[in-house]
Amino acid sequence: MPYDNLILELKGGMGIIRINRPKALNALNAATCDELLAAARDLADNPDVRVVIVTGQGDKAFVAGADIQEMQPMNPMQGMAFSNKGHMAMSFLERMNKPVIAAVNGYALGGGFELALACDIIYAAEKAKVGFPEVTLGILPGFGGTQRTARLAGIARAKELIFSGKVISAREAYEMGLVNKVVPDGQLMEAVEGLAAAILSAGPVGVGLAKACINRSVSMDIDSGLDFEAEAFGLCFGTVDQKEGMTAFLEKRKPTYRGQ
Ligand code: CAA
């Protein structure tokens, strides 16, 4: 499917989504949210893709938020529908059974930071700036920010960041536990692709099930979570990849995984 607002690249097991609206610093309008969901579905269905990377085209912005021009005239029902549209794309990335890495190459504000927070892992360039300016616009984060920030950084930090609308550096976000790694400018994609390479050498079924287990850990009591983990663990033993991985270890060779 051709995309107007993003660029989709396939590269050695990686599916790279680049949000591409240069005139609006890659802001997410409704059409871009629809395309993001469609691209994520494409990558989920493509057996050659084992890791997804989300980034912004250009060197200034990852995504500078939801599109303020498009939101300005909305009424309450349209606002709710827009929020739900963003949730659909971001929750799909969060739940798809392949790891998703955000490569935050510049401004990740409002809906842009919310997009990054829906990804499994965030690497950010040193120059990147993140935050939730929504309250300065008379609204609140509507693409998952009130929910995911508190889960990742704790309620007090989420409230401070969201109530103040403060834009912070990548390093401050790292110190709050909202970013996995801060990378020198110019080396971001190299670092992200290095991480992707490590994931690509692992068994995709185990990685996908581990993602599902870790995601459940925040919404399940510990006993239910451990039961879920035991079932996922058991499921691996019915896969070709488990036999290959363990046989390769015993034969002192590298495994070749098929994702089956
Ligand atoms: N929506 C629409 N257009 C945007 C935009 C956005 N979120 N962010 C930037 N743009 C546009 C600007 O209007 C400008 O367009 P023109 O050239 O036509 O005037 C262009 O992108 C370049 O932006 P600036 O001239 O402002 O660039 P700058 O370098 O001076 O500032 C910035 C960069 C600090 C990121 C600034 O653009 C900015 O503050 N953007 C808005 C950030 C924001 O408030 N994001 C939250 C949006 S609300 C939200 O996301 C709701 C939600 O949770 C779902």
Side-chain angles (χ1 to χ4, degrees):
M1 158 176 176
Y3 298 101
D4 294 326
N5 303 296
L6 56 85
I7 300 164
L8 190 56
E9 183 192 352
L10 303 182
K11 185 178 171 188
M14 296 177 285
I16 306 175
I17 300 172
R18 292 175 200 277
I19 309 295
N20 183 34
R21 295 189 68 220
K23 285 184 183 150
L25 296 185
N26 301 332
L28 299 175
N29 58 4
T32 310
C33 290
D34 286 341
E35 290 190 6
L36 183 58
L37 178 59
R41 285 201 165 120
D42 264 10
L43 297 178
D45 291 344
N46 185 337
D48 295 332
V49 172
R50 293 185 180 177
V51 178
V52 174
I53 296 169
V54 180
T55 192
Q57 180 71 358
D59 61 4
K60 189 165 172 183
F62 173 74
V63 167
D67 191 312
I68 299 168
Q69 184 88 40
E70 191 177 72
M71 284 184 292
Q72 194 274 343
M74 284 181 183
N75 65 30
M77 293 313 289
Q78 289 167 329
M80 195 190 289
F82 185 54
S83 173
N84 282 327
K85 195 181 271 297
H87 288 163
M88 275 167 67
M90 289 171 206
S91 294
F92 188 90
L93 289 168
E94 185 174 58
R95 290 181 199 149
M96 68 189 283
N97 74 342
K98 299 177 185 184
V100 183
I101 308 169
V104 176
N105 53 310
Y107 288 112
L109 301 178
F113 195 30
E114 294 172 288
L115 169 59
L117 292 174
C119 298
D120 299 309
I121 297 166
I122 303 178
Y123 277 20
E126 194 84 51
K127 68 169 183 186
K129 297 259 188 290
V130 307
F132 296 110
E134 284 93 337
V135 292
T136 70
L137 297 163
I139 56 168
L140 72 153
F143 285 174
T146 63
Q147 303 304 302
R148 294 194 175 96
T149 314
R151 282 169 165 81
L152 282 165
I155 284 180
R157 284 178 165 152
K159 285 178 177 168
E160 184 181 354
L161 201 55
I162 290 172
F163 294 175
S164 68
K166 217 172 117 190
V167 173
I168 61 173
S169 67
R171 197 151 290 282
E172 285 172 283
Y174 168 79
E175 280 158 13
M176 290 170 77
L178 290 168
V179 162
N180 290 70
K181 191 169 186 170
V182 181
V183 180
D185 296 337
Q187 294 174 26
L188 180 64
M189 284 314 280
E190 192 188 326
V192 167
E193 290 184 15
L195 172 65
I199 299 171
L200 286 167
S201 69
V205 176
V207 171
L209 287 171
K211 172 169 171 171
C213 290
I214 297 165
N215 282 353
R216 299 292 167 105
S217 72
V218 291
S219 59
M220 271 184 174
D221 64 274
I222 183 83
D223 287 336
S224 308
L226 291 174
D227 286 347
F228 189 79
E229 181 189 80
E231 284 171 24
F233 185 74
L235 205 57
C236 293
F237 291 81
T239 66
V240 177
D241 284 359
Q242 177 268 332
K243 298 293 175 255
E244 167 63 7
M246 293 195 179
T247 304
F249 176 84
L250 296 172
E251 292 175 355
K252 301 189 188 306
R253 62 173 172 82
K254 280 200 165 155
T256 306
Y257 289 117
R258 288 161 42 188
Q260 292 167 7

